[in-house]
Amino acid sequence: AQSVTQLGSHVSVSEGALVLLRCNYSSSVPPYLFWYVQYPNQGLQLLLKYTTGATLVKGINGFEAEFKKSETSFHLTKPSAHMSDAAEYFCAVTQYGQNFVFGPGTRLSVLP
Amino acid sequence: SQTIHQWPATLVQPVGSPLSLECTVEGTSNPNLYWYRQAAGRGLQLLFYSVGIGQISSEVPQNLSASRPQDRQFILSSKKLLLSDSGFYLCAWTRLAVNNEQFFGPGTRLTVL
């Protein structure tokens, strides 16, 4: 069975500081991994995804994530936080593209 | 391009009343469709998914049901709402390929009083 953990339900960073949101997964077969962002009272929007190939994936809004098979991790980073990055972030995994498992989410706050 | 619609956007219902939430996808055919619920301050809970017309899989036993009367229409229903049914309901779809992401609708905020 698949599972996703996100360390830290709430992360606060200063504007301009590095953003690091952690995601670890468990999967019996090579997974496909995703990061989504959710703004209040809205649906989820895809930030980036890893399927195959290059393990460093670049997404929208300056975010990127690196797939590390040995660590079963897919952490999300952004070099410099912006106030508009404040939102809820979800990591997700699927094996066969049918059932998706989401992490519990991390709320990112950006302080001025 | 593909779009996904949900309505209503917000809904306030008394306990014991029926529920019908609708989700419609445009611009694609034969999508996999999903219903999720987000309770306040919590993650996504998968409720139902469907791989085709009339094919519904339930992930969590509860007083909710789902139907797929048309290829691109997914309906979430209840005969009698409970207080615990309050939450943010999200519909999502994905293409039939193993490496494709889910696309989410704008959601419906349901408050049961």
Side-chain angles (χ1 to χ4, degrees):
Chain A
Q2 305 168 87
S3 67
V4 178
T5 57
Q6 293 183 240
L7 185 62
S9 60
H10 188 199
V11 172
S12 293
V13 300
S14 298
E15 191 174 19
L18 171 71
V19 176
L20 171 60
L21 304 182
R22 300 179 185 274
C23 172
N24 288 86
Y25 68 91
S26 67
S27 176
S28 58
V29 298
Y32 301 102
L33 297 157
F34 309 85
W35 274 102
Y36 286 87
V37 61
Q38 185 182 32
Y39 298 99
N41 292 312
Q42 295 186 25
L44 276 68
Q45 178 185 4
L46 182 72
L47 278 176
L48 48 81
K49 67 177 181 180
Y50 169 78
T51 54
T52 58
T55 56
L56 181 63
V57 180
K58 295 185 183 299
I60 62 172
N61 302 338
F63 284 94
E64 61 182 35
E66 186 172 10
F67 169 58
K68 292 187 176 180
K69 183 178 179 180
S70 61
E71 299 178 8
T72 61
S73 68
F74 191 55
H75 301 330
L76 181 70
T77 60
K78 182 175 180 177
S80 177
H82 191 273
M83 296 297 289
S84 61
D85 294 327
E88 187 96 19
Y89 291 80
F90 293 93
C91 181
V93 61
T94 186
Q95 291 176 331
Y96 306 113
Q98 183 163 306
N99 291 334
F100 288 73
V101 176
F102 284 82
T106 296
R107 182 168 299 280
L108 176 65
S109 297
V110 182
L111 309 175
Chain B
S1 63
Q2 301 85 18
T3 56
I4 179 170
H5 304 280
Q6 287 185 246
W7 61 88
T10 60
L11 190 61
V12 180
Q13 293 284 94
V15 170
S17 64
L19 173 74
S20 181
L21 303 181
E22 189 166 343
C23 171
T24 301
V25 181
E26 296 179 353
T28 188
S29 60
N30 201 22
N32 284 353
L33 295 171
Y34 305 78
W35 277 112
Y36 291 90
R37 177 170 59 199
Q38 262 186 311
R42 302 182 66 178
L44 280 75
Q45 178 187 30
L46 178 63
L47 301 176
F48 302 94
Y49 71 92
S50 171
V51 299
I53 297 174
Q55 301 178 63
I56 309 294
S57 295
S58 175
E59 292 295 306
V60 181
Q62 56 212 323
N63 69 320
L64 298 173
S65 62
S67 62
R68 186 169 177 176
Q70 301 179 41
D71 180 45
R72 291 169 290 174
Q73 185 184 33
F74 204 23
I75 297 173
L76 183 69
S77 304
S78 175
K79 293 182 179 179
K80 290 186 177 182
L81 283 168
L82 306 173
L83 286 174
S84 57
D85 291 325
S86 292
F88 193 52
Y89 288 81
L90 289 162
C91 181
W93 73 274
T94 187
R95 297 186 187 93
L96 290 178
V98 297
N99 62 351
N100 281 320
E101 66 271 28
Q102 287 187 323
F103 299 91
F104 284 82
T108 295
R109 173 72 60 190
L110 172 65
T111 303
V112 182
L113 303 175

